[in-house]
Amino acid sequence: MRIKDFGGEFALIDDITRKAKDARVIVGVGDDCAVLDYGAGKYLLWGVDMLCEGDHFRNDWYTPRQIGAKAMESNVSDIAAMGGLPSGALISIALTAETTVEWVEEFYAGMYSVADKYKFDILGGDTTHSIIQTVSITVLGEVEPDNLCLRSGAKPGDLVCATGDLGKSKAGLELLLAKTEGDASGHLQPKCRLAEAQVIAPYANSMIDVSDGLASEVGHICRMSGVGAKIVEENIPISENTRKTAEKLGHNPIDYALHGGEDYELVFTLSSENLKKITLNCPLTVVGEITSKKDVLIESAAGLKPLKGGFNHFA
Amino acid sequence: MRIKDFGGEFALIDDITRKAKDARVIVGVGDDCAVLDYGAGKYLLWGVDMLCEGDHFRNDWYTPRQIGAKAMESNVSDIAAMGGLPSGALISIALTAETTVEWVEEFYAGMYSVADKYKFDILGGDTTHSIIQTVSITVLGEVEPDNLCLRSGAKPGDLVCATGDLGKSKAGLELLLAKTEGDASGHLQPKCRLAEAQVIAPYANSMIDVSDGLASEVGHICRMSGVGAKIVEENIPISENTRKTAEKLGHNPIDYALHGGEDYELVFTLSSENLKKITLNCPLTVVGEITSKKDVLIESAAGLKPLKGGFNHFA
């Protein structure tokens, strides 16, 4: 059976997942990172992401430096969303025979720029050959147990919040696909919210980063927490640039925010009292609330309807 | 400049490597795994390997279960060669639209069979799409600091030893390439030497696993240790099956052992006194000795000559 007909990658992941036997595994499959208590006081966070030429990046859109930086930001974002800080990374990379040394140097310069900014080391990896460029980055991080933020901690009554603005990566992607002039930096040069996550983590009940769109991320939090949510469409933070791009291309910017992904903003839930204790150096928007009823809904001018979806690589 | 003209993957790795800033990094780039002292008593071992369809496996040669098992054995082999035991793995995998759910289930069954045998968990990963199947496995392991075996510890006078027999993976590969009947299990179903490595590690001065052939591995040990070596050709352990395959195909079995790779046997160096303290459940052969003169040489009926090479993906 094709993966598509099986229900896509998330159904497949459910199918192949087994429960961890090691009692030191705090979280296995199902969050942004695995969480391990190996007895060092802090918990280890451990994640991995793979990017394939064609599917995740194109050399006619990105400079190699941008590819390296984005690959690393997306990995650090997973650590950030758990409340932790990155400690080190390993890089496995498959290069084509046509790949130049200069490409690799620039790609690494992009990765090092992110590693330097967030103060961690690239500790090695595996370099090999393939017919397309493929990179897989694995990052180890550490988190104080008290600051650990899981997808599974959302409580009814929590406010659902988002950092920054959403849909900007999808807006950039659509500009590039349409070969239309405009600011595609949201797609080409995303930044994760590591510093902000450190401020949020002590107060949040749940947190996730925006890899696959707001709809997907809120769905993950609700499913893992056994709760529902009501998102208010008009509250979703969307930048003027994203709105202009959508208008120019005849799209709905709300769709960019809900289903676009790769924004690497944070979506988190917390009590209204705890919200008052947080001050961020970026916009913070309340986009909805967690409900005890398990439906995930979105409220718009057209009324209340189910909120579904998110990006699926095998749709 | 093409990577080939730059000197291949090892020259490239030298070019992009930077020294780690984190004082807790015991070993960064340059060994089978990174070694980290995060304060838990044992050191963390952390490695990664990428396998690409076409370059590293072919679906017309391997069952998906064999691919999964081999991918995991090769990763555990890196942990074994440092003297450690595996604790957990993350899998990033890119699948094609044509990949079936049954393929993925069998591939995971292969990985789980190895994880179960060596008693560690698969803790998650990343599942995505590409135009070729690509898998990157990252494994965390742990090692008692006293048992840590690096490539860099070889001492003049050490004996150079190998477990099992060498060249069997290359023999299987050549059979498959030549579409000739014969036993290709050395290529399709290699096993690493985790239990043996645990016995060897307390006594060895240096250790490495055979990923790229005996010549390459001895070269790595000598370069990292600042020593040389003399390998005795007639002592290199080669099975009857490997010899027969080489004979059938008109090849020299010594070339299989020296330059084939993917045997996942252990190559290690230790004093002759310590050699007496080791009893393994597999053949153990002294193939040469470490010299203070930095040349890496091989002695054969034709005399003494430099020992070069090993597999290079961009040669």
Side-chain angles (χ1 to χ4, degrees):
Chain A
M1 184 186 286
R2 294 286 174 87
I3 298 167
K4 176 183 175 179
D5 303 317
F6 193 67
E9 68 220 56
F10 294 114
L12 184 67
I13 291 165
D14 283 345
D15 183 49
I16 56 184
T17 294
R18 295 190 198 171
K19 197 170 152 41
K21 291 169 189 154
D22 186 342
R24 304 176 304 168
V25 177
I26 309 295
V27 178
V29 179
D31 216 304
D32 288 299
C33 298
V35 185
L36 308 169
D37 179 8
Y38 280 5
K42 293 181 183 178
Y43 289 163
L44 282 176
L45 302 172
W46 189 24
V48 68
D49 259 325
M50 183 177 269
L51 293 111
C52 309
E53 186 184 0
D55 273 69
H56 301 92
F57 64 87
R58 286 172 50 163
N59 279 297
D60 55 340
W61 289 355
Y62 291 83
T63 66
R65 189 180 285 247
Q66 287 173 333
I67 299 168
K70 181 172 176 175
M72 197 61 102
E73 290 277 356
S74 78
N75 272 273
V76 175
S77 186
D78 287 328
I79 301 286
M82 310 289 286
L85 290 169
S87 305
L90 296 180
I91 315 302
S92 52
I93 185 166
L95 302 167
T96 61
E98 293 72 34
T99 301
T100 64
V101 173
E102 292 74 18
W103 190 98
V104 180
E105 288 174 343
E106 279 295 299
F107 174 78
Y108 265 81
M111 291 197 294
Y112 278 123
S113 71
V114 176
D116 288 346
K117 179 172 65 171
Y118 299 133
K119 298 187 171 41
F120 65 93
D121 293 307
I122 295 175
L123 298 168
D126 184 30
T127 305
T128 190
H129 171 270
S130 184
I131 56 163
I132 62 163
Q133 293 172 333
T134 305
V135 57
S136 181
I137 300 183
T138 176
V139 175
L140 268 180
E142 291 160 286
V143 62
E144 294 287 353
D146 284 349
N147 280 358
L148 178 65
C149 265
L150 304 181
R151 297 177 177 181
S152 56
K155 294 181 172 57
D158 274 5
L159 301 173
V160 180
C161 302
T163 59
D165 63 278
L166 302 176
K168 60 196 161 192
S169 177
K170 178 72 166 170
L173 173 62
E174 293 293 338
L175 276 177
L176 292 162
L177 283 169
K179 298 190 171 91
T180 301
E181 284 292 302
D183 178 5
S185 63
H187 189 68
L188 298 173
Q189 295 171 289
K191 305 279 183 288
C192 76
R193 295 288 190 185
L194 184 63
E196 292 80 358
Q198 287 287 300
V199 176
I200 295 164
Y203 300 103
N205 289 326
S206 69
M207 187 149 61
I208 191 170
D209 73 320
V210 181
S211 301
D212 298 322
L214 180 63
S216 177
E217 314 315 347
V218 172
H220 284 310
I221 284 179
C222 290
R223 197 171 52 255
M224 298 296 290
S225 301
V227 297
K230 190 183 78 172
I231 302 300
V232 180
E233 187 180 289
E234 70 175 5
N235 288 359
I236 297 171
I238 298 174
S239 76
E240 198 51 36
N241 184 55
T242 298
R243 289 187 190 281
K244 277 185 187 161
T245 297
E247 188 181 359
K248 190 190 293 185
L249 299 172
H251 296 158
N252 184 348
I254 295 290
D255 288 337
Y256 287 3
L258 290 177
H259 309 297
E262 294 198 349
D263 287 323
Y264 306 117
E265 296 289 354
L266 299 166
V267 171
F268 57 100
T269 79
L270 77 185
S271 68
S272 54
E273 299 80 58
N274 275 348
L275 178 62
K276 294 174 194 154
K277 298 173 184 163
I278 292 177
T279 307
L280 300 181
N281 286 322
C282 76
L284 187 171
T285 310
V286 177
V287 296
E289 66 179 328
I290 296 295
T291 58
S292 52
K293 196 154 175 288
K294 291 187 182 178
D295 305 312
V296 183
L297 305 169
I298 184 161
E299 184 181 73
S300 70
L304 208 57
K305 59 181 180 185
L307 176 60
K308 286 185 181 164
F311 189 75
N312 184 327
H313 284 98
F314 296 90
Chain B
M1 182 186 287
R2 294 286 174 87
I3 297 165
K4 176 183 175 177
D5 302 318
F6 192 68
E9 68 220 57
F10 294 114
L12 184 66
I13 291 166
D14 284 345
D15 183 49
I16 56 185
T17 295
R18 295 191 196 169
K19 197 172 151 40
K21 290 168 188 154
D22 186 342
R24 303 176 304 169
V25 177
I26 308 296
V27 177
V29 180
D31 216 302
D32 288 299
C33 299
V35 185
L36 308 169
D37 179 7
Y38 280 6
K42 293 181 182 177
Y43 290 163
L44 282 176
L45 302 172
W46 189 23
V48 67
D49 259 325
M50 183 178 269
L51 294 112
C52 308
E53 185 184 0
D55 272 69
H56 300 91
F57 63 89
R58 285 171 53 163
N59 278 295
D60 55 341
W61 289 354
Y62 291 85
T63 66
R65 190 181 285 248
Q66 287 173 334
I67 299 168
K70 181 171 174 174
M72 196 61 101
E73 291 278 354
S74 79
N75 272 272
V76 174
S77 187
D78 287 328
I79 301 286
M82 311 291 286
L85 290 169
S87 306
L90 296 180
I91 315 302
S92 52
I93 184 165
L95 302 167
T96 61
E98 293 72 34
T99 301
T100 63
V101 173
E102 291 74 18
W103 190 97
V104 180
E105 288 173 342
E106 279 297 298
F107 173 78
Y108 266 80
M111 290 197 295
Y112 278 123
S113 71
V114 176
D116 289 346
K117 180 173 64 171
Y118 299 135
K119 297 186 170 45
F120 66 91
D121 293 307
I122 295 176
L123 297 167
D126 183 30
T127 306
T128 190
H129 173 269
S130 185
I131 56 163
I132 61 162
Q133 293 171 333
T134 306
V135 57
S136 180
I137 299 182
T138 174
V139 176
L140 269 180
E142 293 160 284
V143 62
E144 294 288 351
D146 282 351
N147 280 359
L148 178 66
C149 264
L150 304 180
R151 296 177 178 183
S152 56
K155 294 181 172 57
D158 273 5
L159 301 174
V160 180
C161 302
T163 59
D165 63 278
L166 301 175
K168 59 194 161 193
S169 176
K170 177 74 167 170
L173 173 63
E174 293 294 336
L175 275 178
L176 291 162
L177 283 170
K179 298 191 171 88
T180 301
E181 285 291 303
D183 178 4
S185 62
H187 189 68
L188 299 174
Q189 295 172 290
K191 305 279 184 288
C192 77
R193 296 287 190 185
L194 183 63
E196 291 81 359
Q198 287 287 300
V199 176
I200 295 164
Y203 301 102
N205 289 327
S206 69
M207 185 149 61
I208 191 169
D209 72 319
V210 181
S211 301
D212 298 321
L214 179 64
S216 177
E217 314 315 347
V218 172
H220 285 309
I221 285 178
C222 289
R223 197 171 54 254
M224 298 297 290
S225 301
V227 297
K230 191 183 77 172
I231 302 300
V232 180
E233 189 180 288
E234 68 176 5
N235 289 357
I236 296 172
I238 298 175
S239 74
E240 197 51 37
N241 184 56
T242 298
R243 289 189 192 279
K244 277 185 188 163
T245 298
E247 188 181 357
K248 189 189 294 187
L249 299 172
H251 295 159
N252 184 348
I254 295 292
D255 288 338
Y256 288 1
L258 289 176
H259 308 300
E262 295 197 347
D263 287 323
Y264 306 117
E265 296 290 352
L266 299 165
V267 172
F268 57 100
T269 80
L270 77 185
S271 66
S272 53
E273 299 80 56
N274 275 348
L275 178 61
K276 294 174 195 155
K277 298 173 186 164
I278 291 178
T279 307
L280 300 182
N281 287 322
C282 76
L284 188 172
T285 311
V286 177
V287 296
E289 66 178 330
I290 296 296
T291 59
S292 53
K293 196 154 177 285
K294 292 188 182 176
D295 305 313
V296 182
L297 304 169
I298 185 162
E299 184 180 71
S300 69
L304 208 57
K305 61 181 180 185
L307 176 60
K308 286 185 180 162
F311 190 75
N312 184 328
H313 284 97
F314 297 91

